[in-house]
Amino acid sequence: MNPPAGAPDHPVRARRARTGTAAKTSAASTFALVFGVAALICVLTAVLSVVGLVLGIVGVVLGVVGLRMTRRPGVTGRGVAVGGLVLSVLAVVLALVAAAGVTTVINNQSAVNRLESQVQDLRENLSN
């Protein structure tokens, strides 16, 4: 199917034709993706869940800013912003679930007693 007369045949060329310059990817979108990936990696390591939570929140903010910036003519990166936003939200949710799990275990006295006994058994086995 051919585009209508006078319409560009490619989306990037369409933006270039409207603005007169090449389209630029939003920096906020790119940083949202970077922060989203970093946050997800940190949360999945479990030790750095708190760092992942902070990075995820920053990624969410940057993702929203990136989506808003892509509305401007000559600015691209909507898919990058959406990807960063999804990864950041996923990282925040996983970090909150991990925090809730740790809090539940710590507040459960029988679970704490089991952990203490296992640590004590490990210490005894290492001493031998």
Side-chain angles (χ1 to χ4, degrees), residues 8-122:
D9 59 342
H10 191 271
V12 172
R13 285 190 284 259
R15 287 202 180 213
R16 190 175 295 151
R18 274 188 253 140
T19 62
T21 59
K24 296 180 182 177
T25 302
S26 165
S29 299
T30 305
F31 281 118
L33 184 62
V34 170
F35 275 86
V37 169
L40 194 58
I41 290 171
C42 287
V43 169
L44 291 177
T45 61
V47 175
L48 300 173
S49 289
V50 176
V51 175
L53 178 64
V54 172
L55 292 176
I57 292 170
V58 172
V60 168
V61 171
L62 287 171
V64 170
V65 170
L67 281 175
R68 287 181 172 239
M69 288 180 72
T70 58
R71 293 181 185 167
R72 298 179 183 171
V75 179
T76 61
R78 181 172 176 81
V80 175
V82 168
L85 194 57
V86 167
L87 290 176
S88 297
V89 167
L90 183 63
V92 167
V93 168
L94 289 175
L96 292 176
V97 167
V102 167
T103 304
T104 302
V105 168
I106 289 174
N107 288 331
N108 185 350
Q109 189 60 38
S110 65
V112 171
N113 290 339
R114 282 190 307 241
L115 284 173
E116 286 177 351
S117 67
Q118 288 177 354
V119 168
Q120 189 64 25
D121 291 343
L122 288 173

